[in-house]
Amino acid sequence: MRGPLGAVIGKYPSSDGGVAEKGDGIIKHNRKCRDVVFLVIFIAFWVAMIVNSSFGFNQGNPLRLTYGLDYKGNVCGDRHADPDLRELELRYWVNPNQVYESGSKDNQAKLSNARTICLMDCPIPSEDSLNWVCDYPEGEVRLSVDDWIDRNYDYFADLTPDLRNTSLQLQGPCYPVIFPSVNVYWSCQLIARASNVSLRHWREMGGVNIVEDIAVDKSIHGLINSRSLVLKRYVADVGKSWGVLIVCGGILPVFLSVIWLLMIRHFVAAMPWITVVLFNGLIVSVTMFYYLKAGWIGNDSISPIIGEHDPYYHVSAREISHLHVAAVVMTAVMIISVLSSIAIVRRILMATSVLKVAAKVIGEVQALIIFPIIPYAILAIFYMFWFSAGLHLFSSGGVVQNDCNTNCCAYDLKLKRVSCDRCCGYSIQYTSHIAVAIFFHLLGGYWATQFFVASSATVIAGSVATYYWARGGTSPEISFLPVLSSMKRLLRYSIGSVALGSLIVSFIESIRFILEALRRKLKVTNSAPESWFGRMVYNSSQCLLRCVGWTIKSVNRNAYILIAITGKGFFKSSEIATDLIISNILRIGKVNVIGDVILFLGKLCVSLASALFAFLMLDTHKYNIGHNKISSPIFPVLVCWFLGYVVATLFFAVVEMSIDTIILSFCQDSEEHQGTAQYAPPLLLATLNDQTEMQRLTQ
């Protein structure tokens, strides 16, 4: 049987069952360190995170997420390459016949083995002569890289007759510019529209036959739109838009959250209505921005082409298709959200009554408003490290030469001969341990987020519980700074319990992620259950797992309250909290649910505002043209949305945990005193103990 909580607090027993002296204070009874094993696991996890991140910093190169490789295996734009490629960021396929062969259905050649070079801009065929693009100057070619760039990568006129002959055989070191090209995500997309003038000059010089076919276009287009490169570009977008993340994912949510808390403090009656109206306006606005960027409204859709180009030339990209899907999903979410917010209008008065109690607590313990700044600052530092390490981990891997049987001989300026030994291209090789390292990094980031949120919630719960069990702050035994006292108790006794609770949530979410990935894979391989019973079991298991995840989060939140009050371990606190809630479900059920809904809408308001401002910042010239152009706003906006929600969760926990702590304490207080709470402050008694009010709230 569960012991009385009021007895634990009122008679000051120690956590080991003994009775402490009365002078020990209301929640300052003797405690023990709980769940120490999980604290050790958490410390080991941090050590592993540092080691894992060190591997990423040593092996990764974020340039690989944006730029391609040249025929030497260098990453375009890499200042440490040989030669220095800091200004040469565009990958260009110099041999059009190799591009054609890789796109031909009757040929086994791969585009990854075609000869590529890094340039500053995509070459354009001449209108009256033949332009050339030559290999990097080295060996017998006495030119500096800067001179080579100034001459538009062309030193064909300086070649010996033998080197000119190999160039006419498409074996280098110079190659003709026959097809126009355009910069598509830092690769020169060849347009299957050969220049008649250039092609005529090429044939007059005795050059080998160059195939004019749409395969020249399709081959490069297929590579640029491959799933792996699209995912890399999405990750690179996050790195390029770091300024947006800081402003819209870090600074703006703090400002909006503090404003919301202050308004709850001073305009509590109007805040539920303001929250619902703002939520509907923001979700409609964000949805409209998705429509704009998808090109369904106006002419502001994203373009895969970087820089100036022929306005009549259009390139399709997966990013645009993904925005179309996102716009459809946001439309469905918008409709459901608006209808749901309308449905709860009749219950908003319940939320107002509960929020009044939280406003009273915030007014009495004013340090609660500024306390979330502490976990926010710690989490901000962690995220800066985590995002940087993530970019390096995702771009780690070894640059290795491909194993191919392609006949692609080319002239080697250093060896001074045509070489067929090193004609295969280069690619980045990813091993299974890199995938494990990335998954661990994602899991670690989620666990750390849950840990900081849980720690903040526990400190707030301890502060509010001190306020409640001191009869609304009238007891002389209450600490002058209850927040600092609660922080001290957390760090000294309960940090292992918080680590355990956050680990459970992270574990459940990881299992959901793995099952969802398997579900997608089953869809791809057409191995999904075909019978109605199989589909029913499959879908039911997915729904059950979501319900388990939601239940775990709910139980955790209430467990943190009991951890802060009693100092017991996580599982014992969960048991007490669950028993207490079940015993009073009719009394607090509807009230708590409506209050949680309003708080959830408030968090969404902050995160949606962050997403909206992220759209506005990403729509500026800086992120649409040139070096910092992002491929799509999807990932940066989603990251800002997530960060905004996390920040709002940290600050809104002041209200959320105040309500839950007060209600749990009130129910236990009433249970121990024959239905009449003895420790409750007057406002709480007026709100929850009045029979007429209770009847209205529970109808």
Side-chain angles (χ1 to χ4, degrees):
M1 294 292 292
R2 171 178 57 85
L5 182 62
V8 172
I9 305 223
K11 297 181 181 178
Y12 316 106
S14 64
S15 58
D16 59 358
V19 178
E21 297 298 328
K22 190 171 182 179
D24 286 345
I26 294 175
I27 310 184
K28 292 184 178 180
H29 53 277
N30 295 332
R31 297 186 174 219
K32 286 183 178 180
C33 292
R34 301 291 181 174
D35 300 314
V36 179
V37 173
F38 293 95
L39 176 59
V40 174
I41 293 175
F42 188 67
I43 294 173
F45 149 75
W46 275 102
V47 174
M49 278 285 288
I50 294 174
V51 174
N52 192 55
S53 300
S54 299
F55 166 78
F57 285 120
N58 290 329
Q59 301 294 326
N61 182 2
L63 290 178
R64 297 173 184 169
L65 301 175
T66 303
Y67 308 115
L69 304 176
D70 67 2
Y71 68 89
K72 290 186 171 185
N74 297 318
V75 180
C76 294
D78 188 358
R79 66 180 60 192
H80 302 296
D82 180 24
D84 186 351
L85 303 176
R86 71 181 68 194
E87 296 180 346
L88 306 174
E89 299 172 334
L90 275 66
R91 174 175 51 175
Y92 175 68
W93 285 266
V94 294
N95 191 332
N97 275 357
Q98 287 184 339
V99 178
Y100 165 76
E101 290 172 358
S102 65
S104 176
K105 296 181 180 179
D106 301 327
N107 202 300
Q108 299 300 319
K110 296 181 179 180
L111 187 61
S112 59
N113 294 320
R115 195 172 185 83
T116 56
I117 196 169
C118 300
L119 305 177
M120 190 178 296
D121 45 30
C122 293
I124 301 174
S126 174
E127 297 180 359
D128 56 4
S129 61
L130 180 62
N131 288 343
W132 298 83
V133 170
C134 302
D135 288 343
Y136 305 127
E138 56 186 358
E140 54 193 284
V141 178
R142 306 299 180 182
L143 278 178
S144 66
V145 174
D146 291 336
D147 291 336
W148 173 69
I149 295 174
D150 292 338
R151 296 174 62 167
N152 291 324
Y153 327 108
D154 181 4
Y155 49 77
F156 179 80
D158 299 336
L159 295 179
T160 64
D162 290 340
L163 291 184
R164 289 191 183 188
N165 184 55
T166 59
S167 298
L168 292 173
Q169 301 301 314
L170 289 179
Q171 293 182 344
C174 295
Y175 300 84
V177 180
I178 303 296
F179 296 94
S181 57
V182 64
N183 181 357
V184 178
Y185 295 138
W186 309 103
S187 292
C188 292
Q189 168 74 61
L190 298 183
I191 303 173
R193 189 172 63 235
S195 167
N196 293 329
V197 175
S198 298
L199 197 57
R200 178 170 53 83
H201 280 285
W202 171 256
R203 289 169 179 169
E204 290 176 351
M205 296 175 67
V208 299
N209 181 51
I210 290 180
V211 183
E212 304 173 64
D213 193 275
I214 192 66
V216 171
D217 186 308
K218 289 184 176 179
S219 180
I220 298 177
H221 183 266
L223 174 67
I224 293 175
N225 282 288
S226 63
R227 287 186 174 88
S228 60
L229 287 188
V230 171
L231 180 58
K232 287 181 180 180
R233 287 198 293 269
Y234 279 152
V235 176
D237 289 340
V238 176
K240 292 179 182 178
S241 56
W242 61 268
V244 177
L245 302 186
I246 292 176
V247 174
C248 299
I251 299 175
L252 181 63
V254 173
F255 175 76
L256 295 177
S257 299
V258 172
I259 292 296
W260 197 89
L261 287 178
L262 292 176
M263 292 185 71
I264 279 287
R265 175 70 181 91
H266 299 287
F267 307 102
V268 63
M271 278 309 296
W273 303 98
I274 294 174
T275 301
V276 171
V277 172
L278 280 178
F279 168 73
N280 289 323
L282 287 169
I283 197 168
V284 170
S285 300
V286 171
T287 304
M288 291 303 102
F289 262 99
Y290 274 104
Y291 273 79
L292 284 170
K293 291 304 176 181
W296 288 349
I297 296 179
N299 55 357
D300 195 28
S301 61
I302 64 171
S303 172
I305 301 178
I306 299 174
E308 298 181 358
H309 62 281
D310 186 347
Y312 298 101
Y313 182 69
H314 300 281
V315 179
S316 61
R318 285 184 182 270
E319 284 85 350
I320 298 176
S321 301
H322 293 167
L323 272 174
H324 290 164
V325 174
V328 173
V329 172
M330 281 301 301
T331 302
V333 172
M334 177 187 68
I335 294 173
I336 295 173
S337 300
V338 171
L339 293 178
S340 300
S341 63
I342 293 174
I344 67 169
V345 167
R346 294 179 62 246
R347 302 288 183 177
I348 283 183
L349 290 177
M350 294 184 188
T352 303
S353 301
V354 176
L355 290 175
K356 285 181 179 179
V357 178
K360 174 66 175 177
V361 176
I362 295 174
E364 295 291 337
V365 190
Q366 297 182 6
L368 286 176
I369 295 181
I370 61 173
F371 161 72
I373 293 292
I374 298 175
Y376 164 78
I378 298 174
L379 197 58
I381 295 172
F382 168 77
Y383 274 147
M384 283 188 269
F385 164 79
W386 187 82
F387 276 116
S388 179
L391 287 173
H392 284 81
L393 275 173
F394 205 84
S395 61
S396 58
V399 176
V400 296
Q401 190 171 29
N402 300 329
D403 183 14
C404 68
N405 298 318
T406 306
N407 182 17
C408 52
C409 301
Y411 191 88
D412 192 316
L413 290 172
K414 286 187 175 181
L415 298 177
K416 298 182 181 181
R417 63 179 176 84
V418 175
S419 173
C420 300
D421 298 331
R422 297 172 58 86
C423 61
C424 296
Y426 288 82
S427 60
I428 301 173
Q429 184 179 33
Y430 295 95
T431 57
S432 57
H433 76 274
I434 295 177
V436 173
I438 293 174
F439 178 77
F440 178 79
H441 191 72
L442 294 174
L443 173 63
Y446 190 76
W447 186 9
T449 301
Q450 292 294 327
F451 174 80
F452 289 122
V453 171
S455 299
S456 177
T458 306
V459 172
I460 294 170
S463 306
V464 175
T466 303
Y467 164 81
Y468 180 91
W469 294 102
R471 301 183 184 275
T474 58
S475 172
E477 295 172 358
I478 191 169
S479 173
F480 176 73
L481 292 176
V483 174
L484 293 179
S485 299
S486 184
M487 289 176 60
K488 181 180 178 181
R489 291 193 297 271
L490 169 69
L491 296 175
R492 186 171 180 179
Y493 302 110
S494 304
I495 197 73
S497 300
V498 172
L500 172 57
S502 57
L503 175 62
I504 291 175
V505 173
S506 303
F507 178 76
I508 295 294
E509 293 298 324
S510 300
I511 296 298
R512 280 184 55 190
F513 173 80
I514 294 173
L515 292 181
E516 186 66 20
L518 291 176
R519 182 182 67 84
R520 292 196 183 97
K521 189 172 183 180
L522 288 174
K523 280 188 174 182
V524 172
T525 58
N526 295 322
S527 301
E530 296 181 357
S531 65
W532 67 269
F533 179 76
R535 289 195 300 270
M536 182 184 69
V537 172
Y538 180 77
N539 294 327
S540 299
S541 63
Q542 291 290 321
C543 181
L544 178 62
L545 198 58
R546 289 189 178 93
C547 293
V548 169
W550 180 86
T551 303
I552 289 295
K553 288 182 179 180
S554 178
V555 170
N556 275 12
R557 192 174 69 183
N558 292 298
Y560 298 144
I561 297 174
L562 271 299
I563 288 172
I565 296 176
T566 65
K568 296 184 180 297
F570 175 80
F571 292 114
K572 184 62 177 178
S573 297
S574 299
E575 177 188 349
I576 297 175
T578 302
D579 189 14
L580 192 60
I581 292 173
I582 292 176
S583 302
N584 296 272
I585 189 67
L586 294 179
R587 190 173 210 180
I588 68 175
K590 290 185 178 180
V591 178
N592 225 8
V593 167
I594 296 299
D596 286 347
V597 168
I598 294 298
L599 290 170
F600 178 66
L601 291 181
K603 296 175 190 177
L604 288 181
C605 283
V606 173
S607 58
L608 284 170
S610 300
L612 182 62
F613 276 89
F615 265 123
L616 293 173
M617 287 190 67
L618 292 171
D619 201 30
T620 58
H621 179 82
K622 177 180 179 180
Y623 299 104
N624 284 325
I625 296 176
H627 180 79
N628 287 323
K629 177 174 179 176
I630 62 171
S631 64
S632 171
I634 286 183
F635 260 45
V637 167
L638 288 179
V639 171
C640 287
W641 193 331
F642 170 77
L643 293 177
Y645 189 84
V646 171
V647 173
T649 300
L650 287 174
F651 282 84
F652 282 36
V654 172
V655 177
E656 195 170 31
M657 296 304 292
S658 295
I659 293 174
D660 290 348
T661 305
I662 287 290
I663 289 180
L664 280 177
S665 300
F666 175 83
C667 291
Q668 182 64 38
D669 194 6
S670 299
E671 188 175 299
E672 295 174 15
H673 297 93
Q674 293 75 44
T676 302
Q678 299 295 320
Y679 289 85
L683 178 60
L684 184 64
L685 288 172
T687 302
L688 294 180
N689 209 33
D690 183 74
Q691 294 300 321
T692 303
E693 180 73 7
M694 281 303 304
Q695 291 176 3
R696 182 181 68 78
L697 292 175
T698 56
Q699 285 177 354

